[in-house]
Amino acid sequence: MKAIQVSQHGDIDVLQLVAKELPTPGPEELVIKLYAAGVNPVDTYIRAGINNYTASFPYTPGKDGAGIVASVGEAVSWFKPGDRVFCTNAGMGCYADTTICSQDHVYPLPDNLSFAQGACLGIPYGTAWLAIHQRAGAIAGETMLVHGASGGVGLAAIELGNAHSLTVIGTASTEPGTQAAYQQGADQVFNHYAQSHWQAIKEYTDNQGVDIILEMLANVNLGQDLPLLSKKGRVIIIGSRGEVCINPRDLMARNADIRGLALANASLDERQAMYNNIVELAKDGKINPVVHHSFSLEQAGKAHQQVLEKGAAGNIVLITRPE
């Protein structure tokens, strides 16, 4: 099998394509022939050893992938060889044409989604689902601002917000990103490079503010997010690349909250509940992941550069084998 292997922290040149022995599944594991792997910002943090992330070397990056079950362990009862699946926490890594994963982290891939789309379900949709349902406790009819709506998590949040009957406002920085947010169902999208967008959002809500903010870059936006909140509003911090200064009185005046989120903190029961829900929404056609760029395994370094670029308009995936 072919796989990307990392033997030390560093820049993209540490992503090396190697040949490895095919894995044999343990009693509760599946071997999956991967056709696509999701590329997420957290993959770059682990590779570089930044933002409190590290790894045990050598390792193969990537937690998200989609493909066909090749073989199963003797205790696996949920899947059989030939099933289309996606995995969300592959211990062996998904930047490869084959991986091994516990059946606890494998889910059926609906026939109406491609393998590339299936590789986008794990981190982006899982993060968005937890943000909306667990951390924000969103109530149907509330207004949600997705600050950074054109990336993988942001677009997922728009769809999941619509499925939960929220009014969804988004921000993006480019015309392709803006159009991607509208296509996923955003009610209104603002350019977050325009200083006037803060006031424009307030006016859009008739000066009532927003109930929920999903924040992808808290070190830049958090101080100005807080005055946008309604009473009992909640900011869910999904991403941050540094420190930030805020005025606590913006929270006090609204009885508002700032809540952090890391998908890694979700329990197994929480993961299984949310991904089973995501599968049902996909079957019903209510979620349709956007693949913005795809790269080959050999181009994993370029994919790591792309996923951190400004002006996102969807997800980044690796095509790990031809269909």
Side-chain angles (χ1 to χ4, degrees), residues 4-179:
I4 296 295
Q5 184 168 285
V6 177
S7 298
Q8 64 184 47
H9 289 310
D11 207 341
I12 60 172
D13 59 338
V14 302
L15 297 164
Q16 297 293 313
L17 186 65
V18 301
K20 301 175 70 173
E21 293 288 331
L22 283 168
T24 301
E28 297 184 355
E29 294 178 329
L30 298 84
V31 173
I32 303 170
K33 291 172 56 179
L34 291 174
Y35 288 87
V39 178
N40 295 287
V42 67
D43 299 342
T44 72
Y45 306 155
I46 296 170
R47 185 211 74 227
I50 61 174
N51 296 339
N52 297 321
Y53 288 97
T54 189
S56 298
F57 300 108
Y59 78 97
T60 293
K63 298 295 185 182
D64 296 347
I68 295 174
V69 176
S71 60
V72 301
E74 59 188 21
V76 172
S77 57
W78 304 344
F79 300 97
K80 65 183 184 304
D83 286 347
R84 299 175 83 248
V85 297
F86 69 96
C87 56
T88 65
N89 196 22
M92 187 175 162
C94 288
Y95 287 20
D97 61 20
T98 306
T99 194
I100 195 166
C101 190
S102 165
Q103 70 171 346
D104 288 339
H105 299 291
V106 179
Y107 300 88
L109 179 63
D111 290 337
N112 56 332
L113 297 186
S114 68
F115 290 121
Q117 290 178 305
C120 304
L121 292 176
I123 290 176
Y125 281 83
T127 299
W129 196 97
L130 279 178
I132 293 168
H133 293 279
Q134 185 203 62
R135 301 302 292 141
I139 300 170
E142 289 190 310
T143 298
M144 178 174 72
L145 167 63
V146 183
H147 215 156
S150 62
V153 176
L155 293 175
I158 293 171
E159 290 188 305
L160 294 176
N162 286 334
H164 197 54
S165 299
L166 302 179
T167 296
V168 183
I169 303 168
T171 70
S173 62
T174 66
E175 183 60 25
T178 297
Q179 290 307 310

Side-chain angles (χ1 to χ4, degrees), residues 121-138 144 152-153 156-161 163-164 214 236 238 261 263 266 269-279 281 287:
L121 292 176
I123 290 176
Y125 281 83
T127 299
W129 196 97
L130 279 178
I132 293 168
H133 293 279
Q134 185 203 62
R135 301 302 292 141
M144 178 174 72
V153 176
I158 293 171
E159 290 188 305
L160 294 176
H164 197 54
L214 303 191
I236 313 303
I238 294 173
L261 166 65
L263 180 60
D269 286 345
E270 288 169 338
R271 283 175 171 269
Q272 291 181 340
M274 70 187 183
Y275 286 120
N276 286 332
N277 180 263
I278 287 166
V279 167
L281 289 172
I287 61 174

Side-chain angles (χ1 to χ4, degrees), residues 189-208:
V189 184
F190 298 91
N191 185 330
H192 58 224
Y193 281 164
Q195 189 59 31
S196 61
H197 85 276
W198 306 99
Q199 182 59 33
I201 292 171
K202 197 72 175 271
E203 292 173 357
Y204 182 79
T205 67
D206 293 327
N207 293 315
Q208 297 302 303

